[in-house]
Amino acid sequence: MTKALRQSRERKHVSNFLEKIVINAGVGRASQQPNFEEKVLTQITRDIASLSGQKPQVCRSRKSIASFKVREGQIIGVKVTLRRAKMVDFFERLITIVLPRVRDFAGIAVSNIDKNGVLNIGFREQFVFPEIHPEESLFTFSLGLNIIPKKRNREESLALYRELGVPLKK
């Protein structure tokens, strides 16, 4: 079997089991900075667009919460939902390139998989992704990844993630 044929079968295999991958980044206290929308938000959206391959959606708050100093309509984060080919490409890059670049990485804890089988991964900074250059980024932000399988069962999803090559702790 040729390498290209084997890779195409593996790609179809991933897309058969995963529904979508959601990449999100909260802006938090950065939204209080002057010129937030012109400088910080544009950089965050540019960085997420470069690592995902599509433009992120800006998320605004639905209601005011005084204790968090959040007003209705204020920008609170950005997100991207990946499906089909872009999802498979991102998943492959995540497993083979990004996770080995994380400092002191010993595997993903099994507790990061919730009861519905969704795998939640957090990154403290965006520089573990090779598409983002530290020289060009003036602002550091954290990222959250949600990998949502088609079967919503924790045990089946755990076996699926192990089969797909996700480095889980024992």
Side-chain angles (χ1 to χ4, degrees), residues 22-32 36-37 40-42 44-45 48 55-62 70-71 73-80 139 141-144:
V22 179
I23 306 168
N24 54 46
V27 295
R29 293 194 178 123
S31 63
Q32 307 295 329
F36 164 72
E37 290 192 28
V40 178
L41 185 64
T42 56
I44 291 173
T45 56
I48 291 181
K55 184 180 175 185
Q57 175 185 3
V58 175
C59 301
R60 297 181 179 272
S61 64
R62 294 185 185 136
V70 174
R71 301 290 165 244
Q74 181 179 350
I75 297 172
I76 56 174
V78 294
K79 71 175 182 176
V80 173
F139 183 72
F141 59 92
S142 59
L143 289 169

Side-chain angles (χ1 to χ4, degrees), residues 33-99:
Q33 294 180 358
N35 298 329
F36 164 72
E37 290 192 28
E38 293 81 24
K39 293 184 179 180
V40 178
L41 185 64
T42 56
Q43 184 215 327
I44 291 173
T45 56
R46 184 180 64 236
D47 285 350
I48 291 181
S50 68
L51 68 93
S52 67
Q54 65 188 46
K55 184 180 175 185
Q57 175 185 3
V58 175
C59 301
R60 297 181 179 272
S61 64
R62 294 185 185 136
K63 63 181 190 176
S64 298
I65 303 173
S67 59
F68 292 118
K69 298 181 181 175
V70 174
R71 301 290 165 244
E72 185 176 344
Q74 181 179 350
I75 297 172
I76 56 174
V78 294
K79 71 175 182 176
V80 173
T81 303
L82 301 174
R83 297 178 193 268
R84 298 180 201 73
K86 287 184 181 181
M87 173 190 66
V88 173
D89 291 339
F90 183 80
F91 184 78
E92 289 175 354
R93 283 186 289 135
L94 176 72
I95 299 303
T96 58
I97 298 171
V98 175
L99 290 178

Side-chain angles (χ1 to χ4, degrees), residues 2 15 48 50 52 58 64 78 94 109 127-128 140 143 150-152 155 157 161-162 164 169:
T2 65
S15 63
I48 291 181
S50 68
S52 67
V58 175
S64 298
V78 294
L94 176 72
F127 301 121
V128 293
T140 302
L143 289 169
K150 289 185 179 178
K151 293 185 179 180
R152 302 291 175 94
E155 290 76 27
S157 298
Y161 292 135
R162 290 189 196 279
L164 292 178
K169 290 182 182 176

Side-chain angles (χ1 to χ4, degrees), residues 79-134:
K79 71 175 182 176
V80 173
T81 303
L82 301 174
R83 297 178 193 268
R84 298 180 201 73
K86 287 184 181 181
M87 173 190 66
V88 173
D89 291 339
F90 183 80
F91 184 78
E92 289 175 354
R93 283 186 289 135
L94 176 72
I95 299 303
T96 58
I97 298 171
V98 175
L99 290 178
R101 289 180 58 152
V102 175
R103 186 182 334 159
D104 300 331
F105 183 70
I108 299 170
V110 178
S111 61
N112 287 6
I113 301 173
D114 65 9
K115 66 180 181 177
N116 293 327
V118 177
L119 176 61
N120 302 302
I121 306 172
F123 295 100
R124 293 183 190 263
E125 56 186 23
Q126 75 272 28
F127 301 121
V128 293
F129 291 92
E131 297 88 3
I132 299 175
H133 303 290

